[in-house]
């Protein structure tokens, strides 16, 4: 009983929300991209780059809000590489995503060496202030989820995004610019992944550490899939995965190794994909380059 | 175009694209280096010297290439069946751990112990891809996502098994393996300090075997047929699910072998975090090698040279070692987006959309 009250304490619940924030934001980013038909396994790298740029801008300007803005802008620009390579040059989107992740991992440490003269942790910079119990990014994250739901399901733009992801040729035939929609969506995914990264480096911490996203981009991907490619689903999955991160230390006290708790998001996602608890199905046209006039 | 028909022009393009990708990536790397005030020529000279400067460094390059050849083959083999195994990293880790565990068995002779430990790694790698394989073959679940998920399950699993089950308390590595499980090192007969070992020779043999399997046997023909068009293959009496599972299990086993070389040949124990991402670099190796065993050998050695030469590059030219990762990533972009180059190649075939 005591352990249960510990697990569901106010402290764990608020830490769940903190842990879930970067997952939910990046998952929504992935959602825009994938709903438009572009696979985005680059969330990890985009987050890492965002986390880094946020710290660098805050370091040079002393203003964390500019760091946050920098992360958004750079995340969007960085994602454009994925967009151009995937959309214009029809590259395999998974391969492009792998390359983005590699470029981010190598590039951030390279620049860490150049700017901070270290391969480990950057200097401490001005971090985002608290707004009540949480950092601003937590509230922004929740807002992002609601906006995504509204945009994707209640606006003409959202309808276009979904139609481009399901039936690009049908969308094209009614005059929708398939490629333009996809560029916008991949750009949004980069902006949001950058925001998620800034939450880690300027919200949770006040510095950049090598590889500090530590797989959160892939947990976000898992949350997006587990949430069946819907904003509220992704939020729910992020909260669940965030909760499992928040309680793993306490569960260790019960004799459950942290490693097993760490596996939970990934095992859940495989089970969801297998259709054991209601099959998770990706958008139909996902991963296919769009070639006008073909088919 | 038929499965086996060799088109001279296509072959030339196949060779040209990786070459252009490498050249352009190194040019971009030079621009980056120059931008931050280093000398590109000095940088690349040091990189080259660090990778091939003497016999010892050359051996170290081949040592660094060995796991990449295995993971590159793993990715390419799955590709040939139309599948993307992005889980090479996890398969390599469980393979390495399995080999390290079997390696600690005592009282076995070398001729039994080495093959047994190597086999254990292959089996562990195959087991680690079995769930994605079955889900793909029977339910059509996309293997990219499931193999990524299996990577992260592997990270947690090997951390648990190596640190909390096999390792002595307080240690971050498993107990050393018995000498009977060591992969023989070239330093036994050559005057080198390198830990280059029989694993490289094993990689060459496996590479030849994969070539033979894919292009000279019915099994390989069926796997490639499914890779080109699963529906047509089924129509022709070839079972797609069977070949998908077979190709993925072999792919996983290949990545597992890469782990065996690390634990049996290089470290002689399993140490947490020993892989800097061999499984992911394997994707780059496979792509650059055009998913062909001989291409993979060359690409593996190139990437091995980059990873081996970077320390000397850092010492001699002062450039951060991570330049190498940036160049690797750019190479992948160029190879993946080969339309960038193809658009400049005149295409005479009718109605061809690049």
């Amino acid at each position: 009983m005591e352990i249960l009250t510990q697990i569901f304490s106010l402290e764990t619940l608020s830490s769940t929300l903190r842990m879930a924030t970067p997952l939910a934001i990046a998952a929504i980013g992935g959602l825009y991209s994938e709903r438009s038909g572009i696979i985005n396994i680059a969330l990890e790298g985009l987050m890492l780059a965002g986390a880094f740029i946020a710290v660098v801008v805050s370091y040079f300007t002393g203003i964390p809000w500019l760091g946050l803005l920098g992360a958004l802008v750079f995340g969007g620009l960085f994602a454009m590489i994925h967009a151009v390579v995937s959309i214009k040059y029809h590259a395999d989107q998974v391969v492009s995503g792998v390359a983005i992740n590699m470029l981010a991992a190598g590039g951030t440490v390279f620049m860490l060496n150049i700017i901070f003269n270290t391969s480990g942790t950057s200097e401490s910079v001005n971090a985002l202030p608290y707004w009540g119990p949480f950092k601003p990014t937590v509230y922004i994250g929740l807002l992002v989820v609601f906006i995504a739901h509204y945009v994707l399901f209640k606006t003409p733009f959202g309808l276009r995004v979904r139609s481009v992801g399901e039936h690009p040729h049908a969308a094209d035939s009614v005059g929708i610019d398939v490629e333009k929609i996809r560029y916008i969506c991949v750009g949004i995914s980069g902006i949001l992944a950058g925001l998620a990264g800034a939450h880690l480096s300027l919200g949770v911490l006040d510095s950049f550490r090598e590889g500090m996203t530590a797989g959160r981009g892939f947990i976000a991907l898992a949350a997006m899939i587990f949430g069946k490619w819907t904003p509220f689903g992704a939020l729910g999955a992020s909260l669940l995965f965030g909760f499992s991160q928040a309680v793993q230390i306490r569960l260790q006290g019960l004799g459950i190794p942290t490693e097993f708790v760490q596996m939970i998001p990934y095992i859940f996602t495989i089970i969801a994909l297998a259709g054991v608890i209601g099959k998770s199905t990706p958008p139909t046209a996902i991963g296919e380059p769009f070639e006008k006039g073909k088919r | 175009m038929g499965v086996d028909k060799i088109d001279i022009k296509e072959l030339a393009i196949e060779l040209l694209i990786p070459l252009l990708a490498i050249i352009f990536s190194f040019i971009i790397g030079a621009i980056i280096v120059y931008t931050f005030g280093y000398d590109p020529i000095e940088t690349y000279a040091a990189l080259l010297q660090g990778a091939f400067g003497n016999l010892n460094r050359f051996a170290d390059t081949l040592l660094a290439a060995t796991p990449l050849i295995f993971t590159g083959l793993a990715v390419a083999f799955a590709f040939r069946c139309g599948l993307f195994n992005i889980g090479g990293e996890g398969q390599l880790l469980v393979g390495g751990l399995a080999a390290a565990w079997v390696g600690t068995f005592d009282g076995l002779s070398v001729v039994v112990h080495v093959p047994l430990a190597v086999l254990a790694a292959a089996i562990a790698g195959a087991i680690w891809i079995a769930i994605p394989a079955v889900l793909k073959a029977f339910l059509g679940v996309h293997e990219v996502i499931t193999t990524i998920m299996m990577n992260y399950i592997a990270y947690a699993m090997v951390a648990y098994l190596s640190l909390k089950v096999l390792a002595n308390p307080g240690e971050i590595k498993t107990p050393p393996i018995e000498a009977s499980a060591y992969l023989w090192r070239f330093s036994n007969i050559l005057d080198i300090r390198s830990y280059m070992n029989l694993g490289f020779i094993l990689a060459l043999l496996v590479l030849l075997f994969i070539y033979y399997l894919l292009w000279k046997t019915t099994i390989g023909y069926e796997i490639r047929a499914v890779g080109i068009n699963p529906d047509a293959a089924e129509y022709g009496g070839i079972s797609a699910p069977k070949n998908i599972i077979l190709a993925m299990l072999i792919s996983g086993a290949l990545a597992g072998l890469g782990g065996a070389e690390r634990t049996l040949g290089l470290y002689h124990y399993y140490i947490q975090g020993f892989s800097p991402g061999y499984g992911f670099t394997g994707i780059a190796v496979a792509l650059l090698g055009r998913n062909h065993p001989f291409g993979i050998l060359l690409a593996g050695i190139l990437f091995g040279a980059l990873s081996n030469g970077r320390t000397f590059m850092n010492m001699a030219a002062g450039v951060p070692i991570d330049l190498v990762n940036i160049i690797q990533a750019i190479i992948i972009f160029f190879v993946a987006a080969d339309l960038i180059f193809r658009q400049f190649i005149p295409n005479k075939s009718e109605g061809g959309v690049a």
Side-chain angles (χ1 to χ4, degrees):
Chain A
M1 249 345 265
E2 197 189 332
I3 197 81
L4 274 183
T5 50
Q6 266 186 16
I7 285 176
F8 290 101
S9 68
L10 201 62
E11 194 197 323
T12 4
L13 293 183
S14 72
S15 124
T16 294
L17 201 54
R18 271 199 307 276
M19 303 276 195
T21 295
L23 305 180
I25 297 173
I28 297 297
L31 192 61
Y32 277 102
S33 175
E34 302 224 337
R35 276 288 185 164
S36 81
I38 303 290
I39 299 175
N40 198 341
I41 66 161
L43 295 173
E44 176 81 4
L46 295 167
M47 270 173 91
L48 192 62
F52 181 73
I53 294 296
V55 165
V56 169
V57 174
S58 179
Y59 173 73
F60 284 115
T61 64
I63 306 168
W65 290 103
L66 282 181
L68 183 70
L69 186 68
L72 303 184
V73 172
F74 189 80
L77 290 176
F78 196 30
M80 276 305 117
I81 301 180
H82 182 52
V84 170
V85 166
S86 305
I87 299 167
K88 183 161 185 223
Y89 292 108
H90 302 179
D92 187 309
Q93 294 158 14
V94 174
V95 172
S96 169
V98 169
I100 292 269
N101 290 336
M102 250 188 205
L103 192 57
T108 50
V109 183
F110 183 86
M111 292 308 295
L112 201 56
N113 270 287
I114 302 270
I115 297 173
F116 298 101
N117 205 16
T118 170
S119 295
T121 306
S122 76
E123 282 172 40
S124 289
V125 299
N126 290 340
L128 293 166
Y130 273 98
W131 281 1
F134 298 110
K135 292 294 178 99
T137 38
V138 173
Y139 309 102
I140 299 172
L142 287 171
L143 204 60
V144 160
V145 175
F146 284 91
I147 293 174
H149 176 78
Y150 179 78
V151 167
L152 284 171
F153 296 102
K154 310 282 177 199
T155 65
F157 172 74
L159 183 64
R160 289 195 187 117
V161 170
R162 287 180 291 128
S163 68
V164 161
E166 296 290 337
H167 299 289
H169 293 277
D172 179 56
S173 70
V174 296
I176 296 172
D177 188 336
V178 174
E179 299 203 337
K180 186 174 142 196
I181 296 278
R182 288 184 169 176
Y183 275 112
I184 293 171
C185 286
V186 176
I188 294 173
S189 82
I191 290 170
L192 291 178
L195 173 63
H199 168 79
L200 292 176
S201 63
L202 292 184
V204 179
L205 300 175
D206 61 357
S207 59
F208 179 84
R209 263 205 331 264
E210 178 187 4
M212 70 184 296
T213 42
R216 285 187 184 82
F218 288 106
I219 304 184
L221 194 73
M224 175 195 75
I225 297 165
F226 193 67
K228 299 182 182 176
W229 283 269
T230 63
F232 290 128
L235 175 65
S238 299
L239 286 170
L240 179 67
F241 298 165
F243 177 70
S244 77
Q245 287 179 355
V247 297
Q248 68 184 34
I249 303 296
R250 293 182 196 284
L251 287 175
Q252 197 169 22
L254 280 177
I256 301 169
T258 46
E259 289 87 356
F260 290 177
V261 183
Q262 283 161 2
M263 291 179 200
I264 287 174
Y266 312 110
I267 293 175
F268 274 27
T269 302
I270 291 178
I271 293 173
L273 282 165
V276 179
I277 40 171
K279 195 166 167 61
S280 219
T281 317
T284 318
I286 198 151
E288 290 169 19
F290 175 70
E291 288 177 45
K292 223 177 158 79
K294 228 187 171 186
R295 201 182 298 185
Chain B
M1 200 194 302
V3 175
D4 287 315
K5 198 173 150 197
I6 294 170
D7 182 324
I8 296 295
K9 190 184 156 199
E10 193 55 31
L11 183 69
I13 293 173
E14 288 281 299
L15 292 174
L16 194 62
I17 284 171
L19 215 58
L20 286 173
I22 293 168
I23 292 169
F24 276 82
S25 303
F26 274 91
I27 291 173
I28 294 176
I31 295 170
I32 293 171
V33 166
Y34 185 75
T35 308
F36 293 108
Y38 303 101
D39 180 350
I41 296 177
E42 191 189 340
T43 303
Y44 287 146
L47 188 60
L48 209 61
Q49 208 185 333
F52 300 108
N54 57 40
L55 187 65
N56 190 57
R57 285 180 186 155
F58 186 59
D60 271 341
T61 288
L62 297 184
L63 175 71
T66 307
L68 302 179
I69 294 171
F70 281 116
T71 52
L73 277 176
V75 174
F77 196 85
F79 259 139
R80 287 286 170 185
C81 194
L83 303 160
F84 199 156
N85 175 13
I86 203 165
E89 187 72 10
Q91 295 140 25
L92 177 127
L93 293 178
V94 296
L97 187 67
W101 175 59
V102 173
T104 56
F105 295 177
D106 54 6
L108 294 171
S109 89
V110 179
V111 285
V112 178
H113 206 176
V114 169
L116 194 67
V118 169
L119 190 67
I123 292 172
I127 288 174
W128 211 252
I129 203 175
I131 292 173
V134 168
L135 290 180
K136 172 72 179 183
F138 296 112
L139 294 171
V141 177
H142 204 311
E143 74 283 1
V144 164
I145 302 299
T146 49
T147 50
I148 289 176
M149 298 300 137
M150 290 305 287
N151 274 343
Y152 280 91
I153 297 173
Y155 293 147
M157 180 71 91
V158 294
Y160 175 74
L161 290 176
S162 72
L163 298 176
K164 296 190 181 160
V165 178
L166 295 175
N168 294 318
E171 293 268 347
I172 58 156
K173 56 183 197 262
T174 61
I177 61 171
E178 296 291 321
S180 54
Y182 288 3
L183 284 170
W184 182 86
R185 283 178 181 165
F186 284 79
S187 55
N188 291 340
I189 53 162
L190 295 174
D191 184 23
I192 51 175
R193 280 173 290 113
S194 173
Y195 291 161
M196 183 197 172
N197 58 73
L198 218 49
F200 180 72
I201 306 299
L202 181 67
L204 294 183
L205 292 176
V206 169
L207 198 140
L208 286 173
F209 171 73
I210 293 298
Y211 174 77
Y212 177 81
L213 185 68
L214 275 176
W215 281 280
K216 308 289 173 193
T217 68
T218 318
I219 296 171
Y221 177 83
E222 291 196 355
I223 284 174
R224 284 182 301 127
V226 172
I228 289 166
N229 187 336
D231 296 329
E234 284 272 4
Y235 189 70
I238 296 171
S239 162
K242 188 193 104 182
N243 282 290
I244 285 170
I245 289 179
L246 184 65
M248 285 181 83
L249 292 182
I250 291 175
S251 173
L254 288 167
L257 288 177
E261 186 274 338
R262 291 287 99 170
T263 48
L264 303 177
L266 177 57
Y267 296 111
H268 294 166
Y269 47 75
Y270 182 96
I271 183 161
Q272 188 59 18
F274 77 88
S275 171
Y278 295 126
F280 296 107
T281 312
I283 297 168
V285 169
L287 285 168
L288 189 62
R290 308 308 274 177
N291 297 316
H292 191 286
F294 301 130
I296 286 164
L297 176 63
L298 295 176
I301 292 174
L302 173 74
F303 281 57
L306 288 176
S307 113
N308 182 39
R310 64 186 181 179
T311 315
F312 189 77
M313 173 193 80
N314 177 250
M315 285 192 313
V319 178
I321 57 170
D322 299 275
L323 173 72
V324 162
N325 301 348
I326 296 175
I327 292 177
Q328 284 181 355
I330 299 172
I331 290 178
I332 305 183
F333 279 123
F334 277 123
V335 181
D338 60 2
L339 257 186
I340 293 173
F341 302 124
R342 280 179 191 267
Q343 66 187 346
F344 297 112
I345 299 167
N347 194 346
K348 282 182 197 156
S349 63
E350 283 169 44
V353 188

